Amino acid sequence: MKRARCLGAPAVAALLLSAAANAQGVSPRQLVEVADLGELAVSPDGSRVAFRLQQPSVERNTHDTTWYVQPLDASAPARRVGEGGQPLRESDGASLAPAGVTWSPDGRFLYYRALLDGRVAVWRARADGSGARAVTRDAADVRGFRLAADGRSLHYRVGATRQQVRDAEQAEYDNGIHIDATVALGQPLYRSGRLDGRAATQRLHGGDVIRSPLLAGVADRWLALDLATGNAREVSGGAAPPVSPAHARVAPFKAWKLAWDAHAARVAMLVHVTEWQGVGPRPEVALSVLAAGKGARPVQCRDPLCTGKPITAIQWRPGHDEVLFTVTDADDSQAQSIFRWNVASGRVLPVVRTSGLMNGGRGVPGTCAVSAAALVCVAADARHPPRLERVDLDSGDRRVLFDPNAALAADMASVPVQRLHWQDAAGRRFNGLYFPARRAAGQPAPLFLTYYRCSGFVRGGVGDEWPLATLAGHGISALCINAPPSVLDAVTRFEIGRSAIESAIALLSSRGEIEPGNVGMGGLSYGTEVTLWMAMHSHTVSAASVSSIAFSPLAYTLMSLSGEPFFSRLRTYWQLGDPAATPAQWKRLSPAFNLDRIHIPVLMQLPEQEYLHTLDYAVPLIRDRRADLYVYPNEAHQKFQPRHKLAVYERNLDWFRFWLQGFEDPQPAKAGQYARWRMMADRRGAASPGQAPD
C-alpha cells in the first residue's frame, strides 16, 4: 500500500520551485467565482441581445445576477438594465433550466422572472437601462408567464401563497410531522433546504429524489395583468395556449425536439429513428420539417452533414428557409458544431465548428439566440471560460461581445490542456480532458482523475469539487474522463469505468508522464459510485474523495418509504432489491459489504441532505482511520453556496497534495486536518495488507 511520502531535499526544492512558478496560477477561488451567462434573447428587430450574468461571490456567499442588453454589431458595450435576483434552483442544487425572457413587441422592455425581496415576480426592465420594476405583486410566487402578442397584457400562473406555505410549515412544526412516502428521510425535516431563495420544508414530489416546497402540488391559477393599469384578474380555465391542429399533426411522429416557425406555420423536428429508453447510446435522430397544410408529409434532411449525426438542438433562422442545427460530439468531450439546412434546396452548410460548447458553457442543454443575420452564443471550452459571442450566419465569423471572465481566460492561457483519446484492451474507445502538470526535470507526476462528464469549461468535474487546473499548477496532473453511454447492468457499467480508468493510467504511465502507483480519484453521484468501485476492486488508486452517496442498507431503508418509484429505479439501474432478497448483488456493489476491501484513504465531503445515508459504511471507515468526513449544512446533491464550494475545492487540493506529494500547508488553521491525516497515514503503515482487490 502506498503511504504519504517524506520528501527529500531535492523533491522539496522542486516543489518550492514549482510553487513559485505557479504563484500566479489559477486558484480555487477563481474557479468558484467564474461568471456564467444565459437566458439569451434577440430583440424583435434583430439589433440587440438580452442576456443574464450570474456571478458567485465568496465574500458575501451569494450569487449576483444581472440583466444586460447589447447591440449585436458591438457598436456599444453591454448596458446593465436590471437585477436578476437570487438564482432559482432545482432541489438538487443545480440551476433551473432557462425560465424564459421576453422582449416587448416594440423592443422597449424586457420581461423576466426574478427572486427579489423574498418573492418570485415578473419584472419589466427598460432596454435603455433607465429602470426596472416588478409588474406582478401577487401573494404567491410566479411559476411562469407569457406576454400577449400585442404587448399590452401579461398572463402569469401562481400556486399557493407564500403565507399559506409558511403556515403549513408552522402547523407541521407545532403538531408534529407525519412521516409518509413524501418525506425525504435522512435530512432535517423542518425548513431543511433552500428552495426559492429561503429555508423551506421539502417534500418528495413526483418521484423518490425530486424535492419541492410544501403545497407545491396546489394547482396553478392563471391571472391576466393589464400592463397599462396594473390591474390583474383571475382567468377561468387557465391561460395556457390551446392545442393547435399543427400540434395534433406533429404528435404521431413522437418528436424528441421541435422548433416552430410561426410565420410560415411549419415545424422542424428531431425524431429518434428507433425507440430509446434513456440508457445506452442515444439512437440516431432524423431531422425533418413538416410544412403547413392538410396531408403534408415531413421533408427529411438527406445531406451527409445531417444524417447519422448526434444532433442535439434545432431552431429556425428568422425570415429564411433554413433550420439551424447543433451537433454535439460525444467522442470529443461534447464539442459542438452548428450547421444550417436550407429546406428548399436541401443544402447543408457549416456555420461554426468548435472544440467546446456553444450552448451556455455548462453541461445544461441550451441554444444560441438567433437573428436573421447572426447567432449569439455562450461559448466555452477547456481553456476559455464562458463568454458571449456573435457568429455571422453566412461567413461564420466569430466576435466576442461580452467577456466577464477575461482575467481568468488570460491565466488559463498558460495552463496546458490536451484532449486525450485512448482504447482499452477490448477496443472500447474513451476520451477526456488532460491537464498535464509542470514537472521538474521530466520526472513523472502524480495523477488525479475524475469520471463522469467533461464538457465546456471544466472547473472541477461534475459538481465542481476538484480544481483541475489548480491541481496541475501544483504538480499533480489531472484527467477528467467522459463516461461512455450508460448500460443497465450495474457491474458491467462499473467495470467499463474501471477499464477506462486503468487503461488511461497505463497510457500516461507508458509515456513517462505519471507515476502509476500514485493516483487519486474523486467524483460526485455516478462519479462517487465509480470512485468507490475502484477503491474496492482496483489496485490503481491510492487516495479517494467522494461527495455523495453509494447504496447501502441504511440508504435503502431511508429511501424505501417512497415506494415503487424507488424500488423500480433500484431494480432497473442497480439490479438491487431488498438486501435480504438480493444479497449477492448487494455484496458486489455496496461499500457497506466491502469494508475489508477499502485500503485507501477516503475523504467524504457530503451535503447535509445526504450524509446520513452513508453512515453504515462511513462510520466504520472513520473509526478505523480510513476516512475523514465533512458535512455542509443546507446543501443539496450539488453544493451551490460559494463559501462551501471554495472550502471543498481547497480541502480536496490539500488532501491530494498530502497523499500524492507528502505536502502539508503550514497555515495554522489547517493543523487539525493534517493531524488526522497523519494518523490515517500511520494506520496504513501499520495495517496488514489484508484482502487485496480483485
Side-chain angles (χ1 to χ4, degrees):
M1 300 300 295
K2 192 164 187 69
R3 305 177 187 177
R5 296 173 295 155
C6 295
L7 299 183
V12 171
L15 276 175
L16 291 175
L17 287 172
S18 175
N22 290 284
Q24 302 301 316
V26 176
S27 70
R29 181 161 182 165
Q30 285 177 284
L31 296 175
V32 170
E33 294 188 329
V34 171
D36 283 299
L37 301 164
E39 303 257 25
L40 312 182
V42 170
S43 61
D45 64 0
S47 67
R48 294 161 293 165
V49 62
F51 60 92
R52 193 184 74 167
L53 178 142
Q54 180 176 316
Q55 177 77 63
S57 168
V58 170
E59 183 178 355
R60 289 178 287 105
N61 198 34
T62 189
H63 295 254
D64 300 319
T65 59
T66 310
W67 284 95
Y68 288 88
V69 169
Q70 185 169 13
L72 262 67
D73 62 4
S75 59
R79 176 185 293 119
R80 181 175 179 150
V81 300
E83 296 298 322
Q86 298 181 49
L88 297 172
R89 297 191 175 278
E90 302 280 7
S91 63
D92 68 354
S95 295
L96 279 171
V101 55
T102 300
W103 283 87
S104 62
D106 58 11
R108 295 173 57 204
F109 300 103
L110 290 177
Y111 292 86
Y112 53 87
R113 273 198 321 153
L115 172 56
L116 285 160
D117 303 322
R119 58 194 177 99
V120 182
V122 178
W123 282 67
R124 180 172 69 185
R126 293 183 177 273
D128 62 6
S130 60
R133 67 179 183 87
V135 295
T136 62
R137 300 186 178 279
D138 203 274
D141 288 338
V142 175
R143 293 175 171 175
F145 74 95
R146 64 184 181 93
L147 187 67
D150 60 9
R152 295 181 179 179
S153 64
L154 181 140
H155 286 70
Y156 65 97
R157 58 188 177 90
V158 297
T161 68
R162 289 179 292 277
Q163 189 59 52
Q164 287 173 333
V165 174
R166 287 192 291 267
D167 289 346
E169 291 174 341
Q170 189 62 42
E172 282 198 338
Y173 183 90
D174 293 339
N175 298 312
I177 296 173
H178 178 248
I179 303 300
D180 60 19
T182 69
V183 175
L185 297 179
Q187 69 180 67
L189 300 182
Y190 174 71
R191 295 182 179 169
S192 57
R194 298 199 68 80
L195 292 172
D196 296 336
R198 73 178 189 90
T201 295
Q202 298 179 330
R203 287 290 181 271
L204 297 175
H205 184 70
D208 60 315
V209 293
I210 303 301
R211 293 158 171 82
S212 300
L214 283 187
L215 308 186
V218 170
D220 285 342
R221 293 183 296 111
W222 281 90
L223 294 97
L225 174 70
D226 186 305
L227 292 169
T229 66
N231 295 326
R233 59 178 177 81
E234 193 158 339
V235 178
S236 60
V243 176
S244 69
H247 281 81
R249 287 192 298 111
V250 168
F253 297 102
K254 299 180 180 179
W256 172 44
K257 289 188 177 180
L258 300 172
W260 296 95
D261 180 5
H263 297 289
R266 55 188 173 178
V267 59
M269 302 184 294
L270 288 180
V271 178
H272 289 132
V273 297
T274 58
E275 290 290 330
W276 188 54
Q277 303 302 319
V279 176
R282 186 183 290 277
E284 289 185 11
V285 292
L287 170 61
S288 60
V289 165
L290 183 64
K294 187 175 181 180
R297 303 295 302 168
V299 176
Q300 188 168 331
C301 185
R302 301 291 185 182
D303 190 282
L305 290 174
C306 62
T307 55
K309 304 297 182 183
I311 302 174
T312 54
I314 50 175
Q315 56 193 139
W316 286 93
R317 181 179 183 179
H320 289 69
D321 286 328
E322 289 186 347
V323 176
L324 306 173
F325 63 92
T326 301
V327 172
T328 303
D329 187 353
D331 292 331
D332 198 15
S333 295
Q334 307 295 306
Q336 293 185 322
S337 300
I338 300 175
F339 301 83
R340 52 190 177 98
W341 168 39
N342 188 298
V343 178
S345 69
R347 190 181 184 191
V348 174
L349 294 173
V351 177
V352 61
R353 299 178 188 269
T354 77
S355 61
L357 296 181
M358 297 294 285
N359 70 348
R362 300 290 252 170
V364 178
T367 58
C368 302
V370 60
S371 72
L375 287 165
V376 183
C377 308
V378 179
D381 57 45
R383 303 221 2 221
H384 298 90
R387 63 205 179 275
L388 196 69
E389 288 193 6
R390 179 191 188 275
V391 182
D392 187 276
L393 282 168
D394 292 321
S395 69
D397 290 342
R398 298 170 66 176
R399 181 175 186 175
V400 176
L401 294 178
F402 186 81
D403 188 355
N405 298 304
L408 175 58
D411 289 341
M412 286 295 301
S414 63
V415 176
V417 186
Q418 302 172 12
R419 293 185 176 276
L420 201 64
H421 295 82
W422 70 98
Q423 292 185 1
D424 65 5
R428 288 181 292 239
R429 298 169 56 191
F430 305 102
N431 68 86
L433 291 173
Y434 176 49
F435 297 72
R438 294 185 177 91
R439 295 178 285 138
Q443 294 299 310
L447 175 69
F448 167 80
L449 57 88
T450 186
Y451 182 87
Y452 203 166
R453 290 192 300 267
C454 320
S455 56
F457 181 62
V458 180
R459 305 157 209 202
V462 172
D464 291 335
E465 301 214 355
W466 299 271
L468 304 181
T470 309
L471 284 161
H474 283 87
I476 300 174
S477 294
L479 174 62
C480 181
I481 299 176
N482 284 298
S486 185
V487 297
L488 283 178
D489 183 79
V491 172
T492 301
R493 184 167 69 243
F494 295 144
E495 280 295 286
I496 290 173
R498 172 182 168 181
S499 185
I501 293 160
E502 292 181 345
S503 56
I505 294 170
L507 172 66
L508 295 174
S509 176
S510 71
R511 296 178 179 179
E513 295 189 33
I514 62 109
E515 299 177 71
N518 204 20
V519 177
M521 183 175 177
L524 175 140
S525 197
Y526 178 37
T528 285
E529 295 179 80
V530 176
T531 299
L532 291 174
W533 182 265
M534 294 297 293
M536 296 185 294
H537 297 283
S538 177
H539 293 286
T540 54
V541 175
S542 50
S545 167
V546 297
S547 60
S548 47
I549 71 171
F551 275 115
S552 68
L554 178 57
Y556 178 89
T557 298
L558 291 172
M559 300 178 73
S560 62
L561 197 61
S562 56
E564 185 54 30
F566 169 70
F567 297 136
S568 175
R569 194 163 60 91
L570 205 61
R571 287 193 303 268
T572 301
Y573 296 104
W574 290 273
Q575 296 78 55
L576 291 171
D578 185 284
T582 55
Q585 188 73 341
W586 278 98
K587 174 64 176 175
R588 295 184 191 101
L589 301 184
S590 175
F593 295 101
N594 289 276
L595 294 172
D596 60 338
R597 304 171 69 93
I598 299 175
H599 299 288
I600 64 173
V602 181
L603 175 63
M604 306 175 72
Q605 299 201 81
L606 304 180
E608 187 176 31
Q609 189 181 88
E610 296 182 356
Y611 86 99
L612 287 175
H613 298 72
T614 73
L615 294 186
D616 53 350
Y617 60 89
V619 169
L621 291 173
I622 294 168
R623 291 178 61 189
D624 199 33
R625 296 179 184 173
R626 285 182 281 165
D628 201 17
L629 171 63
Y630 290 82
V631 176
Y632 292 84
N634 296 319
E635 289 287 10
H637 188 59
Q638 297 190 53
K639 305 175 190 72
F640 60 87
Q641 296 181 56
R643 288 180 190 166
H644 287 167
K645 301 289 281 188
L646 181 60
V648 168
Y649 267 150
E650 291 183 337
R651 186 167 290 114
N652 273 321
L653 178 63
D654 290 344
W655 176 259
F656 288 109
R657 295 201 71 193
F658 177 84
W659 291 106
L660 304 183
Q661 294 178 317
F663 176 85
E664 295 186 19
D665 189 328
Q667 293 185 46
K670 297 182 178 182
Q673 74 177 17
Y674 288 118
R676 289 191 300 277
W677 298 350
R678 284 194 298 272
M679 287 191 289
M680 295 172 70
D682 290 343
R683 184 266 174 206
R684 292 180 70 198
S688 59
Q691 180 182 351
D694 293 337

